[in-house]
Amino acid sequence: MIHSNVKQVISTMRNRGAQAFILGCTETPIAVQMYHLEGNFIDSSLVLAHKAIEAVGAPLIKSHAVT
């Protein structure tokens, strides 16, 4: 199973000192939710969207997104 392999990779990287995992593709946040992956994830699309909102001076509305 792919999700088992991903969980193993996350576990191995955590054991080697990884403190966070960058979700650098638009599909990866979906996989995190779908496979119930646990970890400190940084959704690069969400970070980009927040920075774009801040750049135009608009208020940021919090959501239930993967971070």
Side-chain angles (χ1 to χ4, degrees):
M1 297 287 169
I2 291 175
H3 66 280
S4 295
N5 292 340
V6 171
K7 286 182 179 183
Q8 181 61 43
V9 168
I10 289 171
S11 177
T12 299
M13 292 176 68
R14 191 176 290 128
N15 291 337
R16 292 182 179 177
Q19 297 177 0
F21 303 92
I22 298 172
L23 306 178
C25 180
T26 56
E27 291 85 6
T28 51
I30 297 167
V32 166
Q33 290 178 348
M34 187 167 59
Y35 295 124
H36 308 287
L37 301 176
E38 295 180 11
N40 184 19
F41 299 106
I42 300 168
D43 181 343
S44 61
S45 295
L46 187 59
V47 172
L48 178 62
H50 286 182
K51 292 301 178 184
I53 292 168
E54 289 175 6
V56 298
L60 183 62
I61 300 171
K62 298 290 181 178
S63 68
H64 298 286
V66 175
T67 57

